[in-house]
Each structure stands twice: as C-alpha cells, then as structure tokens.
Amino acid sequence: MKLTSRSVSLIPLVATVSAAVLGASLIVTATANAATTLGAAAAQSGRYFGTAVAANKLGDSTYTGILNREFDMVTAENEMKMDATEPNQNQFSYGNADRIVNQARNQGKRVRGHALAWHSQQPGWMQNMSGTALRNAMLNHVTQVATYYRGKIYAWDVVNEAFADGSGGGRRDSNLQRTGNDWIEAAFRAARAADPGAKLCYNDYNTDDWSHAKTQAVYRMVQDFKSRGVPIDCVGLQSHFNSNSPVPSNYQTTLQNFANLGVDVQITELDIEGSGSTQAQNYQRVTQACLAVARCTGITVWGIRDTDSWRASGTPLLFDGSGAKKAAYNSVLDALNAGGPGPTTTTTTTTTSNGPGPGGCTASVSLNQWNGGFVATVKVTAGSSALRGWSVATTLSNGTVTGSWSANRSGTSGAITWSNVDYNANVPAGQSTEFGFQGNGSGAGLNPACTAS
Ligand code: G3I
C-alpha cells in the first residue's frame, strides 16, 4: 500500500502478547482522499494501476509523460517474451526488457513480468522442438529469465494462455502441452525456485465470464494447484473486451470465485473497444468489480494511447492519440476515488523468539477486511538462522476459517496453530514465506506468534 501523510492515520495499539514476545503490534489504516492520477487513486485501497509499455516508445515525451504521471505498475508489452529474451538457445538478450524495467524502477514503479512460458511468441529454435528437449529448454528459459530479474518483479505471468477456447474446457494443443500435462506446474516450480519473492500468476484471456468452459477449466486447475501445493499466487484475467466479447454481467463473480481459491486476482491487459459514454461505463464496471473484490490487487491497461494499442482501430484505451484524457479515463479515476479505501488493510506484527531455532522467527499478518469477511496473509520470516520448520499460533475470536493455503491448520476458529507444509518448511535466514486463509467475520486480533523449529 502506498501511504502518504495526506491520506494516512497511524494508530499505535498497546501490545497484548505473552512474555515470549519481543516485538509490538501496530495497525495501519488507510483512509481515502480524492486523487488526481490513476496510480494514486488505486493506491488508496492498496491497489496498483498499470500499463503495458513498449521500449521503442520510451523516447516519445508525450508517452513517457503520461506513463510517469499516471501509472505505478508496468508490463513489457513484448520485450520479456520468449522470442525477445532468448532469440538463440541459451543466448539471452535483455536490452529492451531492461530499458523498460529500469525506466519503471527509476520512477518508483513496480513491474509485472510477461511472460515466461507461452505457446506463442516462441523463438524459431523452440518452435521446432518437442518432448524432453523442449521441456528442458522451457524450464531453462523460465529459470534463466526469472533468475536474471530476481527481486525486481512484483508478479510473473509464469504461463500464458494454456487453455483452449470453446466449449471443451481443456488445454490448448501446443508443443509445450505435448510435453505432458504437468508442464504448467513444472514451470511454476522452476519460477518459484528462481525468484522466490515474486508472485506467480497464471494469465489468460476469455476467462472473464464465469459460465464459460474455459473459465471453469482454469478455475479447476488453480484449485488443483492450491490443493497440491503447486506454487501459484495469482490469476491474471487479460480482459480484452469488444462487442464480440463484452464485459460479462458476472465479471465480479468470476474475480471473487478465483480469489476465494486463495490467490490474488489481477486484471492484466485491460482494453475495451468503443468510445464515449458507453466505453466509459464499461471501464467503470470493470474498475468497480475489482474494487469490490478484496484480493483483486490491481488493474493494468494494455497500452497508454489509443494509437499505442494492438487494436488501435477500436480506440480501446484511456487516452486518445494526442495523449488527452478520454471519458473512459475520468470514469476509471472517479470509480477508483469513489471506491475509497475499499477493503480495510491492516498489518499486525508480532515477534516471538521461542526457538529451538536460535534465530527465532517473526510472523506478521496483513488483513483485508470487508463487511462480513476477511483474507489474512501471514508472512513468516526467519531470524538470524535458517528455519527447518515453523508454526504460527493465531487467535480467531471473531470469525471462522473457510479456506486456507500453504499451511496445515489445527482448527477453524479460536486458537489455531498453523504449521509449514513440505515445500515451505525451509526458509533461509532473514527470508520469508507466506501462507494465508480466508473466513467469515472480521478476523480482527489474530496476534500471530511464530515458533521456529
Ligand atoms: O517490432 C516489429 C517490427 O520491427 C516489424 O516491422 C513488424 C512487422 O510485423 O513487427 C513488429 O513486431 C510486432 C510487435 O507486436 C511489435 O509491434 C509483431 O509482429 C507483433 O506480432 C507483435 O504483436 C504483439 C502480440 O502480443 C504478439 O503476440 C502485440 O504488440 C502485443 O500487444 C500482444 O500482446 C498480447 C499479450 O502478450 C498476451 N495477450 C494478448 C495480447 C494481445 O494480443
């Protein structure tokens, strides 16, 4: 969350934790003020507002002026794709991607990485590969690129567009799919190992309508991944809309249902063809849908001006060709401001050092609350020595857990003990892992206490 002196009140709380506790508790609550840029308006509720950027436009001062003023998240439109970053096998090329990443980070913006593995935009050498050689080449690509950008990427689109359109609800046929159905989870595991701090997303289009077979198929995959501990943190809905593919009436339901699986949801490539008030209303609906879903963490539009769009003739973006704000821009800004703080985000930190690990561990909880529900994300950080296992005690005095991820749990209300699962037991000194849960009620007063083992 972006906190400014204008918009934030800090309310220190008295720590009510046991003698083993070395730290204190703090609740940070954001309140809303009208903001004048998309990024600042989205930040009022802890969300981001991003855009796709093309490296060859960074010299255009109108383009860069809008970019720097309005957006706080950046996606390379083409420059991080497989054909751009590995044009010859095992020869990596990051020049244009670096220009975008460095420009963004120098301006204090975050970056979404797009995309590590995809059936499209493969370099020529990869298009002709199959079987084990292709699987290994794909995994090497994921590992190399994610390692190169390790620590600089907010979220990776690890796998892009792997599901088929139409009523079948299955995987898309591709050379990668023919290496075996587990290619997607293999890519996610490689990405986690290479860049453990980044959120890992599955990204696709035509997954906006909850009733579509493709949406259901992606949902089942994410559900399966969460149940088996495959490291996935987010689902990207590209959300390219036009008259053939309008904003569905159940769009918010789709966002919420994915979020209920225990993943963040991101709108990753938004554009809506049209003009005037109709286009503005559609943009408003999409923005409001995101704001209504606690784990919809941000929106990215797929370009800045209409003339920058891959669908330029459909004028689908928020700025016209001269860089002027369109009605759609104003409707998004107003919706973000009217949305106010959205879900209240509170962060409570409690530190314990009750070993046996000499370095102890810290647990902090970030809580997204709305009327009648909450999502808690708990961060477990190793102290001065590595963790071989950990447990976290929480108190849920007002609410019941309805779902959880990345930890075992002892119950659903009252005193609950959470413990590591196999893949997140080992945490190097000073580093962190996360687990989470959602529930009914407020989730207030969890007071997490970490025990190292
Ligand atoms: O840069 C070359 C130029 O030198 C050359 O003269 C010209 C000739 O065709 O091609 C230019 O490259 C094009 C590139 O865009 C840059 O404009 C490619 O041909 C063209 O294929 C490429 O299209 C991109 C497309 O992905 C490729 O799949 C679009 O810009 C980009 O907006 C689009 O983005 C995708 C997302 O990655 C995934 N989701 C859908 C979305 C829209 O298709």
Side-chain angles (χ1 to χ4, degrees):
M1 187 188 320
K2 194 171 187 176
L3 302 175
T4 68
S5 56
R6 178 174 56 79
S7 64
V8 170
S9 60
L10 295 175
I11 309 166
L13 288 190
V14 177
T16 54
V17 285
S18 72
V21 173
L22 303 176
S25 296
L26 175 70
I27 287 188
V28 181
T29 303
T31 56
N33 273 336
T36 57
T37 65
L38 299 168
Q44 293 171 120
S45 63
R47 294 179 172 84
Y48 63 82
F49 206 97
T51 182
V53 166
N56 64 6
K57 291 179 180 152
L58 289 174
D60 174 337
S61 59
T62 304
Y63 182 88
T64 313
I66 300 170
L67 168 62
N68 290 347
R69 187 184 74 221
E70 296 287 344
F71 300 98
D72 59 358
M73 184 73 76
V74 157
T75 306
E77 186 173 358
N78 288 300
E79 295 78 352
M80 277 195 194
K81 293 174 181 175
M82 300 177 97
D83 58 350
T85 49
E86 195 178 356
N88 301 300
Q89 189 166 14
N90 252 324
Q91 289 181 359
F92 292 85
S93 165
Y94 296 112
N96 283 330
D98 280 349
R99 289 177 63 202
I100 292 174
V101 171
N102 293 337
Q103 200 276 348
R105 286 167 55 82
N106 288 341
Q107 292 285 326
K109 305 178 196 308
R110 292 181 291 172
V111 179
R112 296 192 77 263
H114 173 80
L116 291 173
W118 190 16
H119 70 276
S120 183
Q121 300 295 110
Q122 291 181 2
W125 62 265
M126 186 181 271
Q127 291 174 26
N128 299 320
M129 291 179 84
S130 62
T132 305
L134 173 60
R135 171 68 69 93
N136 289 339
M138 179 275 288
L139 292 175
N140 181 56
H141 181 88
V142 170
T143 299
Q144 296 292 331
V145 177
T147 299
Y148 180 82
Y149 285 111
R150 179 184 178 127
K152 294 183 174 175
I153 302 297
Y154 163 73
W156 285 106
D157 290 334
V158 178
V159 170
N160 197 35
E161 302 177 0
F163 280 79
D165 294 307
S167 57
R171 295 280 182 89
R172 173 194 299 277
D173 179 49
S174 72
N175 59 351
L176 289 169
Q177 181 61 29
R178 290 190 291 272
T179 69
N181 210 45
D182 63 343
W183 75 274
I184 299 179
E185 60 196 84
F188 274 82
R189 290 197 169 96
R192 179 68 98 223
D195 190 5
K199 290 182 184 291
L200 304 183
C201 301
Y202 176 78
N203 191 51
D204 215 327
Y205 66 91
N206 281 353
T207 49
D208 314 290
D209 189 320
W210 179 241
S211 68
H212 281 181
K214 185 172 176 180
T215 311
Q216 294 291 316
V218 173
Y219 179 85
R220 283 193 299 273
M221 180 191 73
V222 177
Q223 189 175 42
D224 172 52
F225 279 12
K226 294 301 289 187
S227 73
R228 291 190 294 113
V230 177
I232 184 168
D233 308 302
C234 38
V235 171
L237 278 71
Q238 294 184 9
S239 300
H240 295 292
F241 296 119
N242 58 24
S243 55
N244 294 323
S245 178
V247 182
S249 57
N250 58 21
Y251 187 61
Q252 184 180 320
T253 299
T254 305
L255 296 176
Q256 186 66 62
N257 285 343
F258 276 113
N260 288 348
L261 291 175
V263 289
D264 289 348
V265 181
Q266 301 169 5
I267 300 172
T268 53
E269 303 182 14
L270 179 63
D271 48 23
I272 309 177
E273 293 189 42
S275 61
S277 60
T278 303
Q279 183 182 47
Q281 282 162 13
N282 282 324
Y283 263 104
Q284 181 187 43
R285 283 181 53 207
V286 169
T287 306
Q288 288 173 338
C290 181
L291 287 167
V293 174
R295 291 197 75 164
C296 181
T297 58
I299 299 173
T300 293
V301 287
W302 205 239
I304 297 180
R305 301 162 301 196
D306 285 335
T307 44
D308 301 317
S309 170
W310 69 298
R311 286 176 162 174
S313 63
T315 62
L317 295 173
L318 301 178
F319 296 86
D320 70 18
S322 69
K325 296 169 181 174
K326 295 167 58 179
Y329 171 94
N330 292 322
S331 73
V332 170
L333 185 68
D334 291 349
L336 292 171
N337 277 322
T344 304
T345 300
T346 58
T347 303
T348 307
T349 304
T350 305
T351 308
T352 59
S353 175
N354 43 356
C361 58
T362 304
S364 65
V365 60
S366 175
L367 200 58
N368 273 344
Q369 297 165 301
W370 60 95
N371 194 14
F374 70 91
V375 171
T377 305
V378 181
K379 185 185 237 184
V380 174
T381 304
S384 55
S385 57
L387 299 175
R388 299 280 169 248
W390 47 264
S391 64
V392 173
T394 60
T395 306
L396 182 54
S397 47
N398 180 359
T400 307
V401 175
T402 55
S404 61
W405 51 96
S406 303
N408 299 309
R409 67 167 188 257
S410 65
T412 57
S413 63
I416 304 173
T417 300
W418 306 85
S419 57
N420 62 272
V421 287
D422 286 350
Y423 65 87
N424 61 14
N426 293 311
V427 184
Q431 299 206 11
S432 301
T433 189
E434 284 185 350
F435 70 93
F437 53 100
Q438 64 198 37
N440 306 319
S442 82
L446 288 166
N447 282 338
C450 187
T451 301
S453 54

